[in-house]
Amino acid sequence: MAYPDALLGEHEHVVVHKHPHWKMLVLPVLALLVVVGGGSYLAALAAPLSWHLPVWVVLAVVAAIMVVWFTVAPLLRWRTTHFVITTHRLMVREGVFTRSGVDIPLGRISSVRFRHGLLDRMVGCGTLVVESASDEPLEFDDIPAVEKVHTLLHREISQPDQEDA
C-alpha cells in the first residue's frame, strides 16, 4: 500500500514505505489460538451442566475481550505504524486513535546505523539507528530488510535531490 501522496510535499516521492516486521504479530496470533482453544475447552467442560448457557455467554464475552485486547489491538497498531523514507525526509507515523509522528529532514541526518541479532537476521529485520544534527539517536525497531533500508536511506542522504537542482 502506497503512502498517501496528499501528505507529501511538492516534488517529494516515496522511496521506502514499510510496516514493522511481521514478527510483531507472532504473540498476538498465539494469544488468539490460546484464547480460542482455552475457551472451547472450558465450553466443552461446561456443556454437561444444566446451567451451561450462562457459562457459555460469560466465556464468549471474556474471550471476545481477550481477543480484542491481545490480538486485534496489536494488529491495528501494526497496521497503522508506517516507516517512510521519501526524497526529502524520513517519517514515522504510529497510533490508532491518537497518532504520533516523527519527521527528520534528510539534510539533518548525520549518520545511519543498523543492528540485528541472530533471531532478527533469521526473520529478516532489525533496528535502524538514525542520528540527526542536534537530537539524540532515534531507534526504529523491527524494520523489515533493515540492511536494504539502511542502504537506501544512506543513498538518499548522500545524493543531492535531482529535481531541486
Side-chain angles (χ1 to χ4, degrees), residues 44-94:
L45 285 179
L49 301 174
S50 61
W51 43 276
H52 67 274
L53 196 56
V55 173
W56 286 353
V57 170
V58 169
L59 285 174
V61 168
V62 170
I65 291 170
M66 291 177 74
V67 165
V68 167
W69 190 268
F70 294 116
T71 302
V72 175
L75 178 64
L76 285 175
R77 275 193 299 276
W78 174 84
R79 188 70 180 107
T80 59
T81 299
H82 302 270
F83 180 84
V84 182
I85 298 172
T86 71
T87 52
H88 294 107
R89 59 189 164 153
L90 179 143
M91 301 184 295
V92 176
R93 300 285 185 267
E94 55 191 3

Side-chain angles (χ1 to χ4, degrees), residues 35-49:
V35 168
V36 169
S40 299
Y41 177 74
L42 292 174
L45 285 179
L49 301 174

Side-chain angles (χ1 to χ4, degrees), residues 102 104 110-113 115 128-140:
V102 173
I104 305 171
S110 57
S111 74
V112 181
R113 296 176 291 151
R115 69 172 177 269
L128 190 69
V129 181
V130 176
E131 294 182 37
S132 62
S134 63
D135 297 327
E136 291 186 26
L138 295 173
E139 294 189 5
F140 304 105

Side-chain angles (χ1 to χ4, degrees), residues 96-134:
V96 178
F97 299 113
T98 304
R99 302 279 294 161
S100 64
V102 173
D103 285 16
I104 305 171
L106 294 183
R108 292 189 46 100
I109 295 176
S110 57
S111 74
V112 181
R113 296 176 291 151
F114 72 91
R115 69 172 177 269
H116 47 143
L118 183 60
L119 178 62
D120 287 342
R121 290 176 65 190
M122 287 172 36
V123 297
C125 69
T127 300
L128 190 69
V129 181
V130 176
E131 294 182 37
S132 62
S134 63

